Amino acid sequence: MPRRTSYASVAAGTAGTSHQTASVHLPPAPTHGLYQSRNSEQPTRIPQPVWSDQDPQAEGGTPIPETWGSAGREGMSGFSNLRFINEPFTALGARFGNTGLGGFFIPSYLRGSKYTEDLEASHKANLASQKEEPPPPRSGHGSLSRSSSGMNLPKMQASHRGMAYEIIEHQPAVVETGPGPLPSKWVEVDKHNSIEIAGDGQQIRYIGSPKLPDHEAAAARTDHPMPPQCGIYYYEVFIESKGKDGIIGIGFSGANASLEKLPGWEPDSWAYHGDDGKSFCCQAPGKHFGPTFSSGDTIGCGVDFTRRTAFFTKNGNFLGNAFRDINPGIALYPSVGMRRPHAHLVVNFGQRPFTFDIDTMVERQKEQIRGEINSTDVSSIHPTLNKDDMCKALVAQYFSHDDYVETAQAFAEEVRRETVALNGTPESPIDGYLAIEEDHDAANRQQIRAAILDGDIDTALRLTNTYFPHVLSAHRDIDFRVRCRKYIEMMRLAADLLDTPPVSEPTNTQATNGHAEEMDLDEMPAQKSSEADAWDKIDTSNTISRDMRWHDLVSKAIAYGQELNHEFKDETDPQFRDQFKETMKELFGMLAYKDARKSPAARWLEVGERVKVAEGLNAAILVSLGKFSSTALERMYKQTVVLTEMISEDGGVGSLVNVRHLLKGGGHSL
């Protein structure tokens, strides 16, 4: 059955709203919180002994830091579970503050990870694409929408024609892109009928029958599964009210687990139960795990995908690993279950600070991985160089290869001085990498690179054809990319022109009483359409309006784009032909917008895109000279990124490694 809304709708904060507003049980939320915290700040964590009568390492999973203790409950002691019985749901925003701008958030323990970098990039891309779509029409008297912006239409009465139906307008489905999103709320489409959701999907309570058969209950799952690519996932549940008997299960389950039983009582479900303190796994008998929990407690549930284990916390205490050998082959959703009236839970998926110090736990696991990386033996890569010398050789070769001649020379001199200071001799195992020879080709490549980075594509093309005349003809794809950049620079210039005043200041004025008199725009002589070359003969500094200049630039860009299309449309290489069609579609799509910076292809206008073109052309020139197209350092970096991504897809240790952060932080961040 259809289950999940798209990431784009979650990022925009629009997913699932229609379900919540349609709930017939949900009373209106008050304008202020019913329960106020005595301390709005994160409670101070006070190290205390961990409660557990079992060996926390018995499951072979996440190690327990000895210094971790409980967080004080002062910040929650003002919550009165007795008041819940006769009071409506608490407004979550009034109690806990903002849950995240536009529904998008990054938990603190995941910040800086490769997964969240991809998630944020996907979020921004989806927001940009949504801005380009026209807003849906407002519901009016002629609309059948159930939106609150329209009038309330009475339901049609049943007649001899048959049953009456409500017609609901649905928004078009949004294509999901990028990495899988994080769980963010409980949803109406994946809960038992005896459960009611409120507080922007953050609060949940039992409203069903007080008398259920022994093995029946009501459960709920989140909008999205826990992504294994994040490495470690964690969320917390505050027990606002335990209900009559405190029969509550907190854990996670697969999409096919029944919602009519507590998590842990069904296949593909795992949970920690509050009434007896036992852990339940996939219908197996419960095992004694930890203390019972009740109203006012905060229970945390975490899954360590890198070790295939699951752990729980209580009020900031790490209780240990409850499960091992978690199956990574199925999507696992945070899940809770209840079976007694007045049971009321408030969840935190990372929109607010956690009670348990999960950040430190994740960081310590990263430190362990970092230590394993630093202790790796690299002698098999280059038998004559140690790790330090190999790094210096890679850097020296990078500077020399990419034409940073002066930098390469300065680096070589610094290495020699350091060698003399340490060994008393300037001789070094990497002398061959430090020898910088005069390279005329390198100087020519520098000129070409500088021209592209300045946006002067005509000069870059002229220099390339002068110094390396066969490169562009031998690499048609590079030729196409460089010339596309010329079209983009023309559109960029036209877009920048829109930021200038409509009419430029005149250069020739007559002074009258100390004031300059400008010729009125309406008095400008009309241009004859037959004068095709009139533009080049007119001084535009004081006579041509901004819009006319913009129109001229765009017209020239169109003509150049047509020239590109005519020249490259008959290429026979299938891969190049597909790339050509897609690129031309995007480039000509800019013309649908007066300001190309607002088009879906606006990324092409960024200055950083010039670097990619310059590097591509430089690589083609190097190949024509019989050299490598990229440096050993670049190849090593790319290979490392690919390998870490491969071992992070199923939640492997690569999910805790961010190569870019590792290099940027000098080894202090993964």
Side-chain angles (χ1 to χ4, degrees), residues 420-481:
V420 171
L422 294 176
N423 304 328
T425 174
E427 295 182 0
S428 170
I430 62 172
D431 280 342
Y433 298 96
L434 301 178
I436 310 299
E437 300 178 358
E438 188 68 24
D439 189 348
H440 296 290
D441 287 334
N444 295 333
R445 287 188 288 127
Q446 269 189 326
Q447 293 184 57
I448 296 172
R449 178 194 292 268
I452 294 177
L453 296 182
D454 287 340
D456 188 356
I457 308 302
D458 283 333
T459 298
L461 289 169
R462 177 176 56 82
L463 292 174
T464 302
N465 289 323
T466 299
Y467 298 130
F468 312 101
H470 303 297
V471 169
L472 295 179
S473 59
H475 300 273
R476 293 285 285 169
D477 57 333
I478 299 297
D479 187 19
F480 175 66
R481 289 181 61 188

Side-chain angles (χ1 to χ4, degrees), residues 256-482:
N256 295 324
S258 173
L259 296 174
E260 296 181 351
K261 294 184 179 181
L262 290 178
W265 288 355
E266 279 287 293
D268 294 336
S269 67
W270 299 256
Y272 169 32
H273 290 194
D275 59 316
D276 54 15
K278 293 183 178 181
S279 62
F280 291 82
C281 170
C282 305
Q283 292 184 303
K287 296 181 179 180
H288 182 72
F289 171 67
T292 61
F293 53 83
S294 185
S295 302
D297 288 328
T298 297
I299 303 300
C301 173
V303 176
D304 185 343
F305 290 99
T306 68
R307 295 172 173 172
R308 306 285 185 262
T309 60
F311 60 90
F312 290 91
T313 68
K314 178 183 177 182
N315 299 334
N317 285 330
F318 187 90
L319 300 181
N321 297 293
F323 310 110
R324 62 179 179 179
D325 299 327
I326 302 297
N327 182 9
I330 62 172
L332 299 175
Y333 297 78
S335 180
V336 296
M338 301 172 281
R339 52 178 279 119
R340 288 293 183 265
H342 311 311
H344 179 194
L345 311 177
V346 181
V347 70
N348 177 14
F349 294 114
Q351 296 98 326
R352 307 178 303 280
F354 289 114
T355 301
F356 174 65
D357 190 2
I358 183 65
D359 297 56
T360 297
M361 173 182 170
V362 173
E363 181 57 32
R364 290 186 178 181
Q365 197 153 323
K366 288 182 179 181
E367 288 179 0
Q368 180 179 345
I369 297 174
R370 201 155 46 227
E372 294 175 0
I373 293 174
N374 292 334
S375 62
T376 301
D377 183 11
V378 298
S379 59
S380 60
I381 300 177
H382 199 299
T384 62
L385 296 180
N386 59 33
K387 186 183 300 183
D388 185 60
D389 288 336
M390 185 181 298
C391 290
K392 293 176 181 177
L394 288 170
V395 173
Q397 194 255 349
Y398 173 81
F399 287 147
S400 177
H401 179 278
D402 279 18
D403 310 326
Y404 300 111
V405 179
E406 295 180 358
T407 305
Q409 292 173 342
F411 179 75
E413 185 62 29
E414 178 64 25
V415 171
R416 291 191 181 98
R417 284 198 299 266
E418 179 182 321
T419 303
V420 171
L422 294 176
N423 304 328
T425 174
E427 295 182 0
S428 170
I430 62 172
D431 280 342
Y433 298 96
L434 301 178
I436 310 299
E437 300 178 358
E438 188 68 24
D439 189 348
H440 296 290
D441 287 334
N444 295 333
R445 287 188 288 127
Q446 269 189 326
Q447 293 184 57
I448 296 172
R449 178 194 292 268
I452 294 177
L453 296 182
D454 287 340
D456 188 356
I457 308 302
D458 283 333
T459 298
L461 289 169
R462 177 176 56 82
L463 292 174
T464 302
N465 289 323
T466 299
Y467 298 130
F468 312 101
H470 303 297
V471 169
L472 295 179
S473 59
H475 300 273
R476 293 285 285 169
D477 57 333
I478 299 297
D479 187 19
F480 175 66
R481 289 181 61 188
V482 175

Side-chain angles (χ1 to χ4, degrees), residues 47 83 91 176 196 231 270 343 345 351 465 508 531 582 627:
R83 297 184 60 184
E176 185 174 311
E196 185 175 44
W270 299 256
L345 311 177
Q351 296 98 326
N465 289 323
N508 294 321
E531 296 177 345
E582 185 64 28
K627 300 180 180 180

Side-chain angles (χ1 to χ4, degrees), residues 558-576:
I558 293 174
Y560 187 72
Q562 291 172 337
E563 178 184 330
L564 279 178
N565 184 67
H566 178 75
E567 181 173 347
F568 291 94
K569 66 180 181 179
D570 296 326
E571 291 293 325
T572 57
D573 180 18
Q575 184 176 359
F576 175 76

